[in-house]
Amino acid sequence: MLSLAPLVALAAPLCLALAAILAGRDPGARPPRALRAATGGAWAALILAAIAAALLALAGPISGPAPFGDRIGSLVRLDVLSTVMLLLVTFLGVVIVRFSRNYLDGDPNQGAFVSGLCLTLAAVTTLVVAGSLLLLVPAWIATSLALHRLLTFYPTRRQAIAAAHKKFLTARVGDLCLIGAAILLIVSFGTADIAAILDGARAGGGDAAGGAVTMAGYLIVLAAVLKSAQFPAHGWLLEVMETPTPVSALLHAGIINAGGFLVLRFADVMVLATGALPLLAVIGAATALIGTAVLATQSSVKVSLAWSTVAQMGYMLLQCGLGAFPLALLHIVAHSLYKAHAFLSSGSAVDLARSLGREQPQPGLPAAVLVPSLLGALGVVYGLAAASGLTASVPAAQLALAAILVMALVAFLVRPGASPAAAAVFGWMVGIAAAGLALYLGLHTAAGWLTASTFPPTPPLGIGGTVLAALVVLSFGAMTVLQICGLPGSDGPRMRRLRIHLANGFYANAWFDRLVGSYRLPGGTAR
């Protein structure tokens, strides 16, 4: 059964590719054969993914560091990471294909659209099950090219075309980085087989002393940053809102996660590459903080969702940079499901908001009440962790992430207009801290147990890493206080100017446009 599971997994992208070919032969409006092929291909891929996962699980118990994976030569690698991602992508594929059936009903190119959608899904599923660099790199590039076809589905929408052009240029730089990393890894480990590379990296092998593995790690970081729209290369993600909603859902819930998947796939290499993970943590933390601040100033639903994706991808890469690989995988799954629902239901959400009317702004809580209560809640987190012995067994990086989770829950649950009484606020904080810590520990334990044989242990932070984690926690704490209490003097001219700069993302996108020349459309026409 173990040797059959990878074959079944490989059949999933083949079904989607076949569906794309069949749908492409019926490209018109309301094409019955194209719709049947796309629906059947998406469901077949999901069923095959579920069968592969079941076969792999039945092959042996999932416990401790016992092996949990199999591959056919170097073609397919099926482990916890690829199985979870395959199930996630195929499930989203079924939902998005079904949604696009009604969304594009009557469009003269509906058949061509569902063909491109299935082709993109085929490329993504190939990427997540690839067991060789010789397959992973082409699948990575094919995913971007297939997505570009969907982004330019309406050639008369000039803003979408310009954004797709900028995304195309950014993606090509990321492709070059991944190709360079692949060459360095093949030279260092003497093989293109991903399993052999990971085993060699975990054993401390490769040309680490010569710096080739370290350079490969930095190139992987750069490829992941560009793929996941990290600041300041995030602008294209904000400008593709004129594409069909199913494309936005697929992009924000699926393809944007490819950067995080790449880091997780080569987690052993990243641990071996000195300085690569701290660099990733810095970029991810900065992007998460900037995205969170800018998000609060946006009025467009879809642009707000885009900034939310930028911030969430930053936080996911921060988790990777701190070595919390199981939690990063869990974050990918949760964010994908949430963001797919958010985009596919964005239209009805706008209608609901209009029917409810404009909500009156509420006064923020006094900082003199909130800050001591928040510090007390974080003290509760550390006290409970110390009392249960977690400070000795759980890496400091993961305790820092637990503190950030508690602050996020505080920002979500303690809304403006709540009781300003210090006792009431402190009670809220303590309850949220205890619940957040329990939730975090449960998810951490489950994810760590499931992926014990897939990801390396969390590396120690060291002095520099501990300082970085502390700065990240303090920064997120300051952001939490600002979100709940509001900016001091928020009605003054300085704060109004700050809000304008925030609403424009500190103009980083404009500077990036000038750098890549994407303010001109292909053919030289100014945007």
Side-chain angles (χ1 to χ4, degrees):
M1 287 193 299
L2 199 59
S3 61
L4 181 61
L7 282 173
V8 176
L10 185 61
L14 294 178
C15 286
L16 289 166
L18 178 61
I21 294 173
L22 295 177
R25 301 178 64 181
D26 192 12
R30 294 191 178 94
R33 288 178 296 176
L35 295 177
R36 285 196 298 268
T39 303
W43 273 106
L46 176 58
I47 293 171
L48 288 168
I51 293 174
L55 289 173
L56 200 57
L58 291 174
I62 311 172
S63 60
F68 183 66
D70 191 26
R71 52 200 173 274
I72 302 173
S74 61
L75 185 60
V76 177
R77 176 167 175 81
L78 199 62
D79 56 6
V80 174
L81 174 60
S82 57
T83 302
V84 170
M85 294 298 296
L86 182 62
L87 286 170
L88 176 63
V89 172
T90 52
F91 173 74
L92 292 176
V94 168
V95 175
I96 294 173
V97 167
R98 180 67 183 87
F99 181 87
S100 64
R101 185 186 185 101
N102 295 330
Y103 182 86
L104 288 164
D105 185 48
D107 190 287
N109 295 314
Q110 185 178 10
F113 178 84
V114 295
S115 174
L117 188 60
C118 289
L119 182 63
T120 306
L121 289 169
V124 177
T125 50
T126 302
L127 172 66
V128 300
V129 301
S132 170
L133 288 170
L134 301 180
L135 180 61
L136 184 142
V137 173
W140 174 278
I141 298 173
T143 297
S144 177
L145 295 178
L147 175 64
H148 183 78
R149 179 183 174 188
L150 293 177
L151 294 177
T152 58
F153 180 70
Y154 291 124
T156 57
R157 298 183 178 180
R158 295 176 56 82
Q159 185 176 355
I161 298 299
H165 175 55
K166 180 162 60 176
K167 194 268 178 191
F168 183 87
L169 296 176
T170 304
R172 299 293 74 79
V173 177
D175 295 344
L176 291 175
C177 292
L178 183 59
I179 292 172
I183 293 174
L184 290 173
L185 291 176
I186 292 174
V187 171
S188 298
F189 294 95
T191 179
D193 181 56
I194 293 176
I197 292 173
L198 297 181
D199 291 340
R202 187 169 296 195
D207 187 24
V213 173
T214 299
M215 181 58 67
Y218 281 105
L219 289 175
I220 290 173
V221 167
L222 186 55
V225 164
L226 294 174
K227 196 74 166 184
S228 293
Q230 296 297 279
F231 191 88
H234 64 287
W236 62 267
L237 187 65
L238 311 176
E239 297 175 350
V240 294
M241 295 297 105
E242 289 193 15
T243 59
T245 297
V247 180
S248 297
L250 177 62
L251 171 60
H252 289 260
I255 297 175
I256 200 71
N257 295 312
F261 168 79
L262 182 68
V263 175
L264 294 177
R265 171 49 73 208
F266 293 100
D268 294 281
V269 174
M270 302 304 295
V271 171
L272 196 62
T274 305
L277 288 180
L279 174 62
L280 188 64
V282 170
I283 295 174
T287 301
L289 289 168
I290 293 172
T292 302
V294 176
L295 170 63
T297 66
Q298 302 301 309
S299 57
S300 168
V301 173
K302 281 195 170 183
V303 174
S304 296
L305 289 174
W307 272 109
S308 170
T309 298
V310 171
Q312 291 287 347
M313 291 299 100
Y315 186 68
M316 183 264 294
L317 292 181
L318 168 64
Q319 291 173 315
C320 292
L322 293 178
F325 303 116
L327 291 176
L329 176 59
L330 190 64
H331 189 121
I332 287 177
V333 174
H335 175 261
S336 295
L337 297 176
Y338 150 70
K339 198 53 64 73
H341 174 267
F343 267 97
L344 297 181
S345 62
S346 58
S348 58
V350 172
D351 294 337
L352 177 61
R354 287 174 177 170
S355 66
L356 294 176
R358 184 177 180 87
E359 183 180 356
Q360 295 298 321
Q362 299 291 334
L365 286 174
V369 173
L370 176 65
V371 173
S373 299
L374 183 59
L375 292 175
L378 295 178
V380 170
V381 170
Y382 186 82
L384 291 176
S388 58
L390 292 176
T391 52
S393 60
V394 176
Q398 298 184 13
L399 289 177
L401 293 172
I404 294 173
L405 173 63
V406 168
M407 290 186 288
L409 291 174
V410 166
F412 180 73
L413 296 175
V414 180
R415 310 307 301 170
S419 171
V425 174
F426 184 75
W428 263 102
M429 299 298 177
V430 172
I432 292 172
L437 182 62
L439 174 65
Y440 176 85
L441 292 178
L443 294 175
H444 168 263
T445 302
W449 170 75
L450 184 65
T451 60
S453 63
T454 302
F455 300 134
T458 301
L461 288 179
I463 297 177
T466 301
V467 172
L468 173 62
L471 290 176
V472 169
V473 172
L474 291 175
S475 300
F476 275 93
M479 184 65 66
T480 301
V481 173
L482 291 177
Q483 285 180 320
I484 297 178
C485 299
L487 290 170
S490 57
D491 294 331
R494 291 184 179 179
M495 290 302 104
R496 287 198 294 268
R497 286 196 295 269
L498 176 59
R499 282 197 295 270
I500 293 174
H501 298 324
L502 282 172
N504 289 279
F506 296 108
Y507 311 99
N509 190 31
W511 286 103
F512 192 78
D513 282 352
R514 292 177 179 271
L515 177 64
V516 301
S518 62
Y519 56 89
R520 294 185 178 274
L521 297 176
T525 304
R527 184 166 59 175

